[in-house]
Amino acid sequence: MTDAARPPIHLIDSEAERLGDLALAAEARLPEVAELLLTEIERATVHSREAFPEGIVRMGARVDFVDEGSGARRTVELVYPPDADVAAGRLSILSLVGAGLIGLSEGQTIRWPDRSGTERVLRIEKVTPPEA
């Protein structure tokens, strides 16, 4: 899928910088995720934390989404790798799904690859911002 076919996304400036550093550091061990995340960062509209729009997935947000192909619904909290715990619903930004969710807003869909390389359509249903 080309960048032009992906929905617009938004990032907080400080998070975009940290995510870029994480992706670059992960290139050797997670090349696909690193490349996808770097591409998303490059195409994002970047905002200050104070001007960041509501209803958009950011680090620490709780995200309710559905895989439109399977109908599976999930609720996850998007976290940095040290805080990841799939069993507790804390999904790393350095996972394929995590990299696909960042910056999307409620109602948006994205066609995104899974671990097998199959593209899935993920739709954001609800975004709950992180607690201050």
Side-chain angles (χ1 to χ4, degrees):
M1 172 175 274
T2 64
D3 289 352
R6 289 199 171 136
I9 64 171
H10 302 269
L11 295 173
I12 294 173
D13 52 6
S14 59
E15 288 181 359
E17 186 174 330
R18 184 170 178 194
L19 294 176
D21 291 345
L22 275 174
L24 290 171
E27 279 183 311
R29 68 182 197 289
L30 299 169
E32 182 182 15
V33 174
E35 180 183 343
L36 289 167
L37 185 55
L38 287 168
T39 299
E40 292 299 271
I41 294 165
E42 288 175 14
R43 72 182 193 85
T45 301
V46 179
H47 306 269
S48 69
R49 187 172 302 276
E50 299 76 30
F52 195 69
E54 290 185 26
I56 295 178
V57 179
R58 57 175 280 205
M59 295 307 298
R62 198 172 79 231
V63 186
D64 298 332
F65 70 98
V66 64
D67 178 326
E68 293 197 336
S70 68
R73 296 179 183 282
R74 288 187 66 193
T75 299
V76 298
E77 178 184 354
L78 192 59
V79 299
Y80 291 103
D83 300 320
D85 181 346
V86 175
R90 292 191 302 269
L91 184 66
S92 172
I93 185 64
L94 289 183
S95 66
L96 283 169
V97 172
L101 295 176
I102 191 75
L104 293 174
S105 60
E106 292 175 355
Q108 280 185 314
T109 59
I110 191 166
R111 187 174 293 278
W112 200 254
D114 64 16
R115 286 182 291 213
S116 70
T118 303
E119 285 201 339
R120 305 173 93 154
V121 177
L122 306 177
R123 180 173 37 86
I124 306 300
E125 293 189 320
K126 182 179 178 187
V127 178
T128 305
E131 295 181 14

